[in-house]
């Protein structure tokens, strides 16, 4: 009898049930898409943000030491402090090596440049462009191609084992240099492979392979600083704690989390006599962007589910009011409040499951569309999301139906049968 009452309810009120089902489907579809994107998009957003540059800086440990007497900083010039180029491949030996997208060493040298009869002092910046390195059995390519993807070159990029250089566009204009020209740097002739445009200080510099800068400086294997681009997790309460105050499981959790601070700590372990720190403006902006995007997705999800609950509430209230005589008859025949509530909650559950299944598949398609159109990548729908979405659909439907069902339970059979309820 219970199953037949359930069946007749859907058969006789197709329009009401359809409206409620559509409301559930739409709300659940939006929730599915937002949850799927939020759970899968963290690394994708982080990779997009990595196009804005490195977020970690490694320098010699001595650079962090300040010596002051009477308020006067007596720290010696830092030009004598260097990292060893031979230690750089060890960066790929850290625990979070797969999160490190690339690194680029820098060695600035003050030089005199002469091109087309125009001479002036400038900075030559030695670095990797796309250097192939090996650590253990792993081979990888790193350099400014990965850490500074916004650099633009008119002409061609120099090879890392060549003597060719890039000339910043501002400096090239002063020296009347073009791709293919020859430029004299510290008394040696070099070919200008291309004109570099970065929008930064490099526009007034010469950028060359690292070995060229080391040769001019007379310090083979020297590196002044290293910029590292790594995928990191936004800061939370644990990330902001001082690791020196941690112990046991808490320290292990911090060390094994891809916080920018924990990756910096591991870089210091990998490179002897080094100090690693986050480029605070970049790292904090990334965390802010990620948090705001996730907050926006949560807000959209809650708004969609709230609208769905309101639509279900309106549809169920109307449907139950139209069935007040049926409820009155059930009570007159001896049905208790629990039996009446069970019938309507069973209807709501079935409606929620049907709408939840339809909404899940519709939301999955929407999530894939968002991934392709915004991030140009595929969104992965985790299997565990399906039961979560069904549970959300049931909760939303119950929340929207509860008031109407409560009213039906308290119908007076006398007034209900007379049509006065």
């Amino acid at each position: 009898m219970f199953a037949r009452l359930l069946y007749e309810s859907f058969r006789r009120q197709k329009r009401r049930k359809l409206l409620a089902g559509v409301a559930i489907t739409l709300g659940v579809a939006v929730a599915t898409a937002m949850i799927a994107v939020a759970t899968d998009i963290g690394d994708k957003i982080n990779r997009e943000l990595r196009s804005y540059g490195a977020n970690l800086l490694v320098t010699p440990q001595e650079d962090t030491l300040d010596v002051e007497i009477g308020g006067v900083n007596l720290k010696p010039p830092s030009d004598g402090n260097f990292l060893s180029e031979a230690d750089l491949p060890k960066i790929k030996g850290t625990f979070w090596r797969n999160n490190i997208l690339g690194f680029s060493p820098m060695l600035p040298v003050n030089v005199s440049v002469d091109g087309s009869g125009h001479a002036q002092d400038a900075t030559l910046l030695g670095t990797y462009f796309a250097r192939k390195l090996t650590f253990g059995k792993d081979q990888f390519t790193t350099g400014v191609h990965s850490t500074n993807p916004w650099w633009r070159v008119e002409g061609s990029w120099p090879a890392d084992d060549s003597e060719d250089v890039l000339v910043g566009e501002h400096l090239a204009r002063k020296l009347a240099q073009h791709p293919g020209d020859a430029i004299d740097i510290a008394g040696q002739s070099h070919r200008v492979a291309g004109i570099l445009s970065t929008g930064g200080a490099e526009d007034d510099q010469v950028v060359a392979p690292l070995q060229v800068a080391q040769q001019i400086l007379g310090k083979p294997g020297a590196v002044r600083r290293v910029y590292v681009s790594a995928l990191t997790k936004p800061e939370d309460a644990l990330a902001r704690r001082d690791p020196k105050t941690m112990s046991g499981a808490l320290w292990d959790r911090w060390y094994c989390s891809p916080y920018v601070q924990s990756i910096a700590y591991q870089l210091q372990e990998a490179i002897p006599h080094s100090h690693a720190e986050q480029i605070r403006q970049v790292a904090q902006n990334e965390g802010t962007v990620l948090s705001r995007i996730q907050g926006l997705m949560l807000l959209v999800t809650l708004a969609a589910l709230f609208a769905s609950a309101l639509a279900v509430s309106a549809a169920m209230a109307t449907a139950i009011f139209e069935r007040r005589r049926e409820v009155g008859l059930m009570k007159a025949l001896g049905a208790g409040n629990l039996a009446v509530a069970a019938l309507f909650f069973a209807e709501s559950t079935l409606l929620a499951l049907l709408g939840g299944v339809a909404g899940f598949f519709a939301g999955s398609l929407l999530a894939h569309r968002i991934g392709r159109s915004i991030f140009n990548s595929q969104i992965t729908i985790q299997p565990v999301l399906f039961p979560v979405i069904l549970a959300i659909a049931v909760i939303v439907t119950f929340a929207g139906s509860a008031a109407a069902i409560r009213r039906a339970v308290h119908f007076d059979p006398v007034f209900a049968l007379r049509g006065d309820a």
Side-chain angles (χ1 to χ4, degrees):
M1 179 61 71
F2 187 87
R4 182 168 182 177
L5 289 173
L6 199 61
Y7 169 75
E8 290 296 328
S9 169
F10 278 85
R11 188 179 69 83
R12 294 183 180 183
Q13 289 189 314
K14 296 178 182 177
R15 185 169 174 271
R16 300 291 182 195
K17 294 297 190 290
L18 181 61
L19 289 175
V22 169
I24 296 170
T25 299
L26 292 177
V28 169
V30 173
T32 301
M34 292 298 100
I35 294 175
V37 171
T39 55
D40 190 60
I41 215 64
D43 285 346
K44 293 180 174 63
I45 293 176
N46 218 327
R47 288 182 183 275
E48 290 290 330
L49 293 174
R50 291 277 41 80
S51 64
Y52 295 104
N55 52 350
L56 286 160
L57 174 63
V58 184
T59 57
Q61 192 175 41
E62 291 83 354
D63 287 1
T64 63
L65 301 177
D66 287 325
V67 180
E68 289 190 5
I69 298 179
V72 179
N73 193 334
L74 302 180
K75 178 180 176 180
S78 59
D79 291 343
N81 301 324
F82 299 97
L83 300 171
S84 173
E85 182 184 2
D87 292 326
L88 299 187
K90 297 178 182 178
I91 293 176
K92 280 294 188 176
T94 62
F95 181 82
W96 288 107
R97 56 187 174 275
N98 293 327
N99 281 49
I100 295 176
L101 302 182
F103 58 87
S104 52
M106 300 289 179
L107 180 62
V109 183
N110 294 325
V111 296
S112 61
V113 295
D114 188 350
S116 302
H118 301 80
Q120 73 173 69
D121 293 333
T123 298
L124 180 140
L125 185 66
T127 188
Y128 289 165
F129 295 107
R131 183 72 175 269
K132 293 182 178 180
L133 298 176
T134 301
F135 181 78
K137 297 181 179 179
D138 296 332
Q139 293 185 345
F140 59 95
T141 301
T142 188
V144 292
H145 276 202
S146 56
T147 61
N148 301 41
W150 69 91
W151 282 17
R152 295 292 177 263
V153 173
E154 178 190 349
S156 60
W157 289 87
D160 284 288
D161 57 355
S162 72
E163 299 287 325
D164 297 345
V165 300
L166 297 176
V167 180
E169 59 177 356
H170 294 169
L171 183 60
R173 196 176 301 119
K174 296 176 184 177
L175 301 177
Q177 291 292 295
H178 302 87
D181 291 349
I183 186 172
D184 187 85
I185 303 174
Q188 297 181 354
S189 180
H190 297 267
R191 189 180 77 92
V192 178
I195 305 302
L196 176 65
S197 175
T198 69
E202 296 83 8
D203 289 348
D204 293 296
Q205 299 175 351
V206 176
V207 182
L210 182 61
Q211 61 179 7
V212 173
Q214 292 170 342
Q215 180 182 358
I216 294 174
L217 189 62
K219 291 184 178 294
V223 173
R224 186 70 189 83
R225 57 184 179 269
V226 182
Y227 289 95
V228 180
S229 180
L231 297 175
T232 60
K233 178 181 178 181
E235 285 188 354
D236 53 21
L238 178 60
R240 287 186 285 269
R241 292 190 56 176
D242 185 354
K244 296 179 181 179
T245 65
M246 302 179 191
S247 61
L250 188 63
W251 190 90
D252 290 339
R253 180 185 163 197
W254 177 85
Y255 188 88
C256 296
S257 298
Y259 299 125
V260 66
Q261 297 92 334
S262 60
I263 294 179
Y265 183 87
Q266 293 171 33
L267 290 175
Q268 292 180 176
E269 291 182 320
I271 303 177
H273 311 295
S274 68
H275 172 73
E277 62 182 359
Q278 61 175 311
I279 302 176
R280 189 162 296 277
Q281 184 177 3
V282 174
Q284 288 183 342
N285 286 341
E286 287 178 3
T288 300
V289 170
L290 287 171
S291 298
R292 288 180 178 177
I293 291 176
Q294 291 174 347
L296 177 61
M297 290 180 179
L298 176 61
L299 183 62
V300 171
T301 300
L302 293 177
L305 294 177
F306 182 69
S308 178
L310 289 179
V312 170
S313 178
M316 291 297 291
T318 303
I320 290 176
F321 181 76
E322 292 175 350
R323 296 169 63 187
R324 62 190 183 280
R325 286 188 175 87
E326 176 186 336
V327 174
L329 182 60
M330 289 176 61
K331 286 198 166 189
L333 293 175
N337 291 343
L338 183 60
V340 174
L343 175 64
F344 287 113
F345 274 120
E347 292 180 10
S348 298
T349 302
L350 184 57
L351 198 62
L353 294 177
L354 293 175
V357 172
F360 176 79
F361 288 105
S364 299
L365 294 176
L366 179 60
H368 288 308
R369 184 65 179 271
I370 292 173
R372 286 194 299 269
S373 61
I374 298 179
F375 299 99
N376 195 29
S377 61
Q378 190 75 11
I379 298 295
T380 303
I381 307 297
Q382 300 297 333
V384 72
L385 185 59
F386 183 65
V388 172
I389 291 300
L390 290 185
I392 291 175
V394 172
I395 292 172
V396 169
T397 306
F398 279 11
S401 306
I405 294 174
R406 183 175 181 276
R407 185 182 178 188
V409 167
H410 291 89
F411 276 159
D412 189 318
V414 176
F415 294 103
L417 291 171
R418 285 171 53 187
D420 297 333

